[in-house]
Amino acid sequence: QEGQDCRLRFVAFDVLRFAGEDVTARPLKERLALLDAAYLAAENPHLGLAKTHVSDKAYVHEGLLAAGKEGSV
């Protein structure tokens, strides 16, 4: 990317599969821990993690809607 002056970045907010295993049934906190481990192991400057709120999700979602945003995932 540097050689092409490209400023792309991959940002993840959840993980669905980890080490070949479907982890969608696991709690969000556990999936976020797996995502963090994968992110740290990758050591790639073009990867990022999105801020994730695991508590008061309804409150955060309603606040985004009230501020004119599209919502949250």
Side-chain angles (χ1 to χ4, degrees):
Q1 289 183 3
E2 290 84 8
Q4 299 178 13
D5 193 33
C6 191
R7 301 216 184 344
L8 296 176
R9 192 169 173 158
F10 178 83
V11 178
F13 63 89
D14 198 354
V15 62
L16 305 177
R17 294 187 68 79
F18 187 80
E21 178 187 346
D22 179 355
V23 295
T24 56
R26 294 188 187 188
L28 178 60
K29 286 185 178 184
E30 189 175 328
R31 295 193 319 270
L32 292 176
L34 292 173
L35 181 61
D36 192 49
Y39 169 74
L40 292 173
E43 296 182 354
N44 186 325
H46 305 291
L47 298 177
L49 295 177
K51 289 184 180 180
T52 303
H53 302 276
V54 293
S55 62
D56 299 325
K57 290 184 80 65
Y59 175 77
V60 171
H61 180 76
E62 291 301 323
L64 289 169
L65 293 178
K69 309 293 183 191
E70 292 184 15
S72 62
V73 177

